[in-house]
Amino acid sequence: MYSFRNDYSEGAHPKVLQALVDTDLEQTCGYGLDPYCLAAADLIRDLCAAPEADVHFLVGGTQTNLVTIAATLEPYEAVIAAQTGHVNTHETGAIECTGHKVCTAVAPDGKLTPALVEDVLAGHNGTEHMVLPRLVYISDTTEVGTIYTRKELEALRRCCDDHGLFLFLDGARLGSALTAQGNDLDLPALAALTDAFYIGGTKNGALFGEALVLTKPNAHFRWYMKQRGAILAKGRLLGVQFQALLEDGLYFDIARHANAMAIKLRDGIAAMGYPFPVVSPSNQQFPVLPNETIRKLQDMSYGFESDHPVDPDHTCIRLVTSWSTPENAVEDFLQDLSKC
Amino acid sequence: MYSFRNDYSEGAHPKVLQALVDTDLEQTCGYGLDPYCLAAADLIRDLCAAPEADVHFLVGGTQTNLVTIAATLEPYEAVIAAQTGHVNTHETGAIECTGHKVCTAVAPDGKLTPALVEDVLAGHNGTEHMVLPRLVYISDTTEVGTIYTRKELEALRRCCDDHGLFLFLDGARLGSALTAQGNDLDLPALAALTDAFYIGGTKNGALFGEALVLTKPNAHFRWYMKQRGAILAKGRLLGVQFQALLEDGLYFDIARHANAMAIKLRDGIAAMGYPFPVVSPSNQQFPVLPNETIRKLQDMSYGFESDHPVDPDHTCIRLVTSWSTPENAVEDFLQDLSKC
Amino acid sequence: MYSFRNDYSEGAHPKVLQALVDTDLEQTCGYGLDPYCLAAADLIRDLCAAPEADVHFLVGGTQTNLVTIAATLEPYEAVIAAQTGHVNTHETGAIECTGHKVCTAVAPDGKLTPALVEDVLAGHNGTEHMVLPRLVYISDTTEVGTIYTRKELEALRRCCDDHGLFLFLDGARLGSALTAQGNDLDLPALAALTDAFYIGGTKNGALFGEALVLTKPNAHFRWYMKQRGAILAKGRLLGVQFQALLEDGLYFDIARHANAMAIKLRDGIAAMGYPFPVVSPSNQQFPVLPNETIRKLQDMSYGFESDHPVDPDHTCIRLVTSWSTPENAVEDFLQDLSKC
Amino acid sequence: MYSFRNDYSEGAHPKVLQALVDTDLEQTCGYGLDPYCLAAADLIRDLCAAPEADVHFLVGGTQTNLVTIAATLEPYEAVIAAQTGHVNTHETGAIECTGHKVCTAVAPDGKLTPALVEDVLAGHNGTEHMVLPRLVYISDTTEVGTIYTRKELEALRRCCDDHGLFLFLDGARLGSALTAQGNDLDLPALAALTDAFYIGGTKNGALFGEALVLTKPNAHFRWYMKQRGAILAKGRLLGVQFQALLEDGLYFDIARHANAMAIKLRDGIAAMGYPFPVVSPSNQQFPVLPNETIRKLQDMSYGFESDHPVDPDHTCIRLVTSWSTPENAVEDFLQDLSKC
């Protein structure tokens, strides 16, 4: 039975893995300064229409978040995030461990807005007795599967400009976001509207890897990476993978597939009358099911995570699809669910 | 022309890569809790004759060093290391970045001894005005290519026991150490004599990865890993690789090859009369060559690093071999050197 | 015109200052190991009926909070505090700067309850992907002037015992709390019910100083203090002051005066019909006044802080009394307010 | 019997204490923004001929060192200090606790030179794999009692300019340095030649306090202070004391006395034939005495610290004088020593 537990249950897309096989015995210099990383960075700058941007390749999302935030903020500056933000909830205090407070706003759909950002600012008086909120952390897709529109991101950009804030977009699931129904953002828009964002590979076709785009380069970023153990010795593994993913659009093709599978799940489950507290157009779906039904699905060995209890008898679960989710796994799941 | 710059110039040993290919589309849970990691951990416990040990898989050496040290020390405790120790010199202050001082001893052969450790202790008065040195950091092979003997490690263990110190061995090049001429240590000895050590994969056949063995388990070690961005989402990639390396001795076979290539280099260079300040039995060799000769080798596109200048006309260089160094690359180098 | 801005506008109570004058030229050893500190610590243990407790003297509140929390928590553990808690709002991220997250609960009266603590715990799943909330931070009086009853503190203690939590009480304004109307706590109760608390001197009669009582001694607490720059060289200044404050009840007598002045303010203002969102029995009072009235009071040079705007025309202000507030200053203020 | 253990055995100079008494009941605003601190800062700017400098008042030396260094360095930058430097040896890793490495040079007389600084720089390759040494930490007087000459400080300044380094002078014993025989530095020279230095009050007449002069102001320095618990609530206590010390030269008069007492000790002891490994013109003297003699002095209840053993029968001790050392205490000591 299939596991919808997450989008990193499998390895890499075969084409990505083949690229690693093909280049395995070549000798290159280490630490991401090799021709593959340089080429992948050039490719990303091209795709982003951001010739001045710096591109750094890191291994995982928490690592990318903590290094970027530590490299951006002064010690007395803080992050603004949605209460559901990954850096706030699921990184074991990694940001605080670098010395920075995460100030949160309640955002039921997982998305920050200028009003929410300004609420946080209003709660800080600008004196030396309080932190100075300075970096706005958002995720696209968000932790609840929603996506930002261009208009929403433009509004956040203006808000950040008005208040001297740095806008950082966690793109662990950026492939899913940029190919979701209703999306009108693309890489050039992200490069134009954020100060930093990343193209998540781990959750969309790579063995591992996040390609961080700094639209405002930081001359010492690699020092921060090294200091946090975040420079991969055989750095070219990251360049090779991102080249394979991005050179001909594979990254977006497979994300589109993941979304299609998720929408098929969503529509099928909704058709059975189960509610979805938040409408997600992306590869994470959060239906509310009776606990009894959940137990039956688990007995059939379907894998998924419980997100939160809704009432004593119902739980909101999380179903995640990926580039590798077979359509018949979705169909089987829907059929089995309909029988519960 | 071949690069002797380091032992992470290539990708993975073909058998290791094949194991990744073979398992690529399987679904497993994430974060290193999958069957491959569990099996690899069991295998390592068996090989170490350490049934009670905890095994954790991390991506790289600096990451492993900083997480282990941060997880072991109280905020007021410090590391004792040789001045040449990797954590002291080549990790951009990663240990200090976790809040801990590194106290150093001058050790020309890169090896700490009980006398050197006790010198450091003697410089600290045990009061609240000074740090308490508490973790002894050693590397095998050392940063200058030397290895510890069983007798030396036993003496350090006794010293640590006498003073309540934690003994941590950086095994980034452990394969080379355990297969070097003169070595009389093995995995069970390391597990018996240290509190923590790691089996380095990055520099001996893996794409990446270090297998950390905690002979004194730390119940919250995974919290430290996560907090530092050091839990790999697709953790099974580490388990799969270490299983492939260790299940039938491949790890040691290929390390033996790396050493043999290094000894061939060493003996050939020494036969031409070039001196070696430190005698290394392992895969790093440090001959002193005339600068003129070095330039000629570089012109021929041989790759290697300059370690340190010896006098205005001579430089100590570093030559590193690996599991993938072809014998004819060594022979070509020697022949070309003899012509310089 | 008098300043009701805070309770540290003046220096020390004359008796405290005289004790400093009287002992000025004596020679003692430094760093708080002198006879005055030892005697003051003994006196505090006696007053607390806590013969096993450790007592440490620190200079200020933020310093005491950050050292105590850093000394108590493991790196992956977090604080639970009311959203209004001083460590959350007014210490410039001092706790996060030591690496720890502060998890907050909304508590309109500034007081944590077992239910609020358990809400925070319920939001954490106990895995390595989230911090482990472990230290409950409360203040008495709270930041909004309220106080804990014995029953409330006992309930928190039970809650902490049930969940393995450490209970730390910020006593920057403990004198005011323990002498407020409705208080039924005393020093022995605090020592019995908390794991650590402090007797604030800065805001009640001393030039500076907080006496921290650790009912569960931490053998290396002085290392944490020193490492954070929190051991005063002439430590005896702290011992001398606390002895003067505590040896004959001066500490409580002057706190009682501060409270009486505050209640006089409160009753007088309430009699004029101005509302108080939270009822405070202690030396901080938070009436809501028309902005026009506030401007008039400021024009008369009364000093006080604006706490928060209530609506476009009204603001909640903070009035603070101290051991040195003269009764006629209160009477003048009330009379002047009645004219506005 | 007198204690020569340190220069913070007594309280404040009577004039300083009187100033605290005289101002005790005045109301001022808190946190060092009061008229006394403003006036003292102006006075210091005048005395330093540094109208653009920022002056901050902190409570103690370790606090001042750690806040200044944390506020100056980027996370990947390091301190250069003499191995005997206070920040390296006697602050319990306070600098590392803020995340920064301290790189050391062996300087038998406690003084850094351009050559020593450049040796440290030469050991760092400027890549992202090593820290970037960036702040030169020196002390005047040094930890072994020596002082810098103008020529030496000018040479260090040029060295710092050549290499883009920040020069920070720990002036915990600056009074003694600037009044020592052979000194040719003064406050304007220090302000002109360093980027930051402090005028130590704790060890020269104040109850506590260090006046930090930032010749290159840091707009957020108070944020760093607050975050580290280093803003004193009743900040005016610092302003009042420094005004009393500096307004009419008391600071230098009493330092001169301390030095005179030290030189009397030195000359008397030297006349008896006891050696001094380092010649100190300041208020710390380090004679080598037979252990037997030391025991006799201790039996007579003289207080002093053992600095380090010289051989099995001799120990180098430290004798410290202060503004309050009576001449007859010195005479008694010399007489008693002559009898041993």
Side-chain angles (χ1 to χ4, degrees), chain C residues 16-244:
Chain C
V16 172
L17 196 50
Q18 190 58 45
L20 290 173
V21 171
D22 291 345
T23 57
D24 190 53
L25 296 182
E26 290 180 28
Q27 283 197 306
T28 66
C29 67
Y31 304 120
L33 301 175
D34 61 276
Y36 293 102
C37 283
L38 299 182
D42 279 342
L43 174 57
I44 289 170
R45 273 185 286 266
D46 280 356
L47 292 172
C48 291
E52 309 295 329
D54 264 6
V55 177
H56 299 280
F57 299 102
L58 295 99
V59 168
T62 297
Q63 190 184 77
T64 307
N65 288 336
L66 80 87
V67 172
T68 304
I69 289 171
T72 301
L73 295 185
E74 298 296 325
Y76 50 83
E77 294 178 336
V79 174
I80 300 174
Q83 208 160 47
T84 47
H86 203 261
V87 293
N88 186 47
T89 56
H90 281 87
E91 301 188 353
T92 319
I95 304 310
E96 290 83 0
C97 186
T98 70
H100 299 286
K101 192 179 194 68
V102 179
C103 305
T104 59
V106 176
D109 65 353
K111 294 198 276 182
L112 284 183
T113 62
L116 290 172
V117 168
E118 285 166 0
D119 274 358
V120 171
L121 294 178
H124 291 80
N125 62 14
T127 73
E128 63 266 40
H129 298 277
M130 303 188 91
V131 293
L132 298 182
R134 165 109 163 83
L135 179 148
V136 173
Y137 167 91
I138 57 175
S139 310
D140 195 26
T141 69
T142 69
E143 293 74 9
V144 297
T146 52
I147 62 171
Y148 282 87
T149 63
R150 185 181 289 255
K151 201 173 151 190
E152 289 167 341
L153 195 60
E154 285 170 349
L156 274 174
R157 175 73 270 166
R158 276 193 303 273
C159 170
C160 288
D161 286 343
D162 289 350
H163 301 289
L165 305 177
F166 185 100
L167 183 55
F168 173 41
L169 185 146
D170 174 336
R173 291 193 171 97
L174 191 63
S176 180
L178 296 189
T179 58
Q181 197 180 14
N183 170 70
D184 56 0
L185 286 167
D186 54 18
L187 291 177
L190 292 176
L193 294 172
T194 72
D195 297 302
F197 73 97
Y198 58 98
I199 304 170
T202 301
K203 292 172 177 165
N204 193 36
L207 286 179
F208 55 85
E210 317 296 310
L212 176 69
V213 180
L214 298 182
T215 64
K216 292 188 181 147
N218 175 330
H220 287 96
F221 197 81
R222 284 173 62 80
W223 276 256
Y224 288 96
M225 289 174 64
K226 176 72 183 181
Q227 185 173 54
R228 304 286 181 178
I231 292 188
L232 187 64
K234 301 183 184 180
R236 101 278 191 73
L237 302 175
L238 292 158
V240 166
Q241 292 184 87
F242 274 100
Q243 230 181 352

